[in-house]
Amino acid sequence: MMKKAKSLLALILAMLIAFGGTICAFAAETAETEDNGAVETADAIGLDSSIKGKISDADDEDYYALTIGDTTGSGLVTVSLAHDVKTNADPVMSYFVVTATDSDGNVIDYVKSAGTDSKVSFDFSVNTGVYFIKVEMGNVLDETLEYTLSAKINKTALIEKEPNDTTSQATSLKLSKKGETNLYYGAITDGDVDYYVANFTSPVLASFGIYNTASKTGNYKATLIKVVDGIDGETIQKIVGSIEIKDGEKVKDSPVFGVNGGIYFLKVEGVGASTGGYQVRIFAGSSSSTDEYEYNNEEKYANLLNKGSFFTGNIFDTNDVDVFKFKAPKKNNGYNVTLADFDGNKEVVNGQWTIEIANENGDVISATTTVLNSEKVTVSTDVLAEGTYYITVASGNVFTGETYKIDLDEKKKSEVEDDKDDGITSFDEFIANIKAIDWSGFWKNFEGWFEYINIIGIIKDIVPGIVSFLSDLVFSKV
């Protein structure tokens, strides 16, 4: 019995040692295998593991394949590289360049170790598939350099989830708010488009931004799209506005705009041949009833501007317009539409704007274009027929993206009276107007008219006397 017990104990110990050895082997660092100088011969690197390698010269490159399986799913991968630092290292001296690419060879991001850096890392979003990590030498060419490469994944990070090339596949985006920034990592590959979807449950002031936070910067365009009601209950997508970040820029934010709730899509695409990583976010803050809300680029979706009230608005770009509408009752005195800047100086228009007032048929009633950095401008109408009228605000030739304030007021009766022909206001003015008439021609025609109707010979002799009498009577009064 004791022998059997000892044998069983030995077996258990052997299993534990074997199992422990397996764990140690998994946790231990592995070494690169040459030749791994191409993607076809890349060494596999696992998540939460590390691998040792070395670069012997400028032509040496080490490739590693990182496979993200279905069980792992999407997440944010952090790739780190550690190495020894040379004594008295030159700050401009780079040791390694580490680059991440997708399976098609599109560069997602890269990082350089230089100077006194002993460890560098970068993050990028991943979905199911194979990614490649390339390690190559920097400008240190006089000796073999060793390094340790590792990779780990954060599955709770905010990232795009492929496929998200259409609105129906859009990645759900959590709105940022004061004290809570939700930045989403994404990556654009060749011919790729990324869609995100956000739901505004109430009217808010919003903005969106795109960031070149990776070492590899690029040209990217972010476009906000609003889902609106179309014909026969169908929904259609309307562009609210776009922003574009340039290669080398770190951040690009949109103007602040109002949204009236609903579904919005954020579309991200590369400009030109740009590929790589980026970050995006949509911010939602508090709003008021006086904020213009998008989408309002067409008369059908115009914001209602009541008499005696105002809106604040902003134009995204030269393609954006803001449309407001107001209703004129049967009796009105005409209207004044005033546009001014919305910063500390209410009397100035910092941007250049075109303002039009049109009726329901599209006939322009009044319009003007402000001069850049001019005083506030007012566009007026005469008395209007009963109906709905539309005010369109667009950028002029000089686009500045400034926030504006637009007011609608009915004219006062005194303004209407001033606009009318004053006519004769006194007896003296009446006499002056009489004297200004060319009476000679009038009386000649008057006499001719009397002669024309004098077809009865009996009264022919008295016509000149009547004419003379009337002439003397009138001119004696004057």
Side-chain angles (χ1 to χ4, degrees), residues 195-230:
Y195 279 93
Y196 301 83
V197 59
N199 183 20
F200 292 89
T201 57
S202 62
V204 295
L205 283 177
S207 66
F208 61 95
I210 185 166
Y211 302 81
N212 260 325
T213 52
S215 297
K216 179 188 182 299
T217 62
N219 300 314
Y220 303 107
K221 183 179 181 180
T223 303
L224 193 70
I225 301 169
K226 166 68 172 173
V227 177
V228 298
D229 294 331

Side-chain angles (χ1 to χ4, degrees), residues 280-292:
V280 292
R281 65 108 178 99
I282 299 179
F283 178 82
S286 60
S287 68
S288 71
S289 59
T290 60
D291 294 317
E292 164 232 355

Side-chain angles (χ1 to χ4, degrees), residues 21-209:
T22 302
I23 294 176
C24 292
F26 178 79
E29 295 175 337
T30 57
E32 64 162 322
T33 59
E34 295 290 356
D35 179 31
N36 63 344
V39 294
E40 295 80 9
T41 57
D43 289 334
I45 182 171
L47 294 169
D48 299 318
S49 65
S50 60
I51 189 167
K52 278 188 171 294
K54 61 182 179 180
I55 296 293
S56 57
D57 55 51
D59 296 326
D60 190 11
E61 295 179 342
D62 295 340
Y63 281 86
Y64 300 91
L66 176 64
T67 301
I68 307 298
D70 293 334
T71 56
T72 301
S74 59
L76 185 68
V77 164
T78 300
V79 172
S80 301
L81 183 138
H83 61 87
D84 292 333
V85 176
K86 298 185 69 173
T87 305
N88 299 323
D90 188 333
V92 300
M93 180 183 296
S94 61
Y95 298 94
F96 297 98
V97 179
V98 188
T99 306
T101 64
D102 62 18
S103 57
D104 294 324
N106 296 302
V107 175
I108 300 172
D109 200 5
Y110 67 88
V111 69
K112 292 181 179 181
S113 65
T116 58
D117 292 336
S118 60
K119 184 177 182 179
V120 291
S121 63
F122 61 94
D123 304 316
F124 61 96
S125 62
V126 296
N127 292 275
T128 302
V130 179
Y131 298 83
F132 293 96
I133 313 298
K134 180 177 73 171
V135 181
E136 57 187 323
M137 184 176 284
N139 57 14
V140 180
L141 306 177
D142 58 346
E143 61 183 271
T144 298
L145 299 176
E146 295 183 349
Y147 63 84
T148 300
L149 184 70
S150 62
K152 62 180 181 179
I153 189 169
N154 178 359
K155 293 177 61 63
T156 62
L158 302 175
I159 65 163
E160 62 152 329
K161 291 181 171 57
E162 292 284 0
N164 63 341
D165 297 347
T166 64
T167 54
S168 61
Q169 301 170 317
T171 298
S172 180
L173 184 147
K174 185 179 180 181
L175 297 172
S176 297
K177 57 185 179 181
K178 187 175 182 179
E180 179 185 341
T181 301
N182 296 310
L183 280 170
Y184 281 73
Y185 286 82
I188 292 294
T189 58
D190 190 21
D192 185 25
V193 175
D194 294 339
Y195 279 93
Y196 301 83
V197 59
N199 183 20
F200 292 89
T201 57
S202 62
V204 295
L205 283 177
S207 66
F208 61 95

Side-chain angles (χ1 to χ4, degrees), residues 282-404:
I282 299 179
F283 178 82
S286 60
S287 68
S288 71
S289 59
T290 60
D291 294 317
E292 164 232 355
Y293 52 86
E294 297 284 353
Y295 174 79
N296 66 338
N297 292 31
E298 304 173 39
E299 292 180 354
K300 181 179 179 180
Y301 310 105
N303 295 171
L304 178 62
L305 180 58
N306 292 314
K307 178 183 69 175
S309 63
F310 69 91
F311 271 111
T312 58
N314 206 314
I315 298 293
F316 270 83
D317 51 39
T318 54
N319 297 317
D320 186 26
V321 296
D322 292 338
V323 183
F324 306 91
K325 65 181 179 181
F326 67 94
K327 296 183 182 296
K330 188 174 183 179
K331 292 184 178 180
N332 64 81
N333 299 320
Y335 294 88
N336 292 323
V337 175
T338 303
L339 187 138
D341 194 60
F342 198 66
D343 62 8
N345 188 349
K346 309 294 185 183
E347 302 298 316
V348 173
V349 179
N350 282 340
Q352 186 181 24
W353 310 95
T354 296
I355 307 103
E356 289 185 354
I357 303 175
N359 60 22
E360 294 175 277
N361 297 323
D363 302 321
V364 177
I365 298 170
S366 184
T368 190
T369 298
T370 68
V371 178
L372 185 64
N373 299 329
S374 66
E375 294 182 357
K376 66 180 182 180
V377 63
T378 298
V379 184
S380 300
T381 74
D382 294 329
V383 175
L384 296 176
E386 183 179 8
T388 301
Y389 294 83
Y390 297 92
I391 306 166
T392 300
V393 180
S395 64
N397 294 328
V398 182
F399 175 70
T400 58
E402 296 285 344
T403 301
Y404 64 82

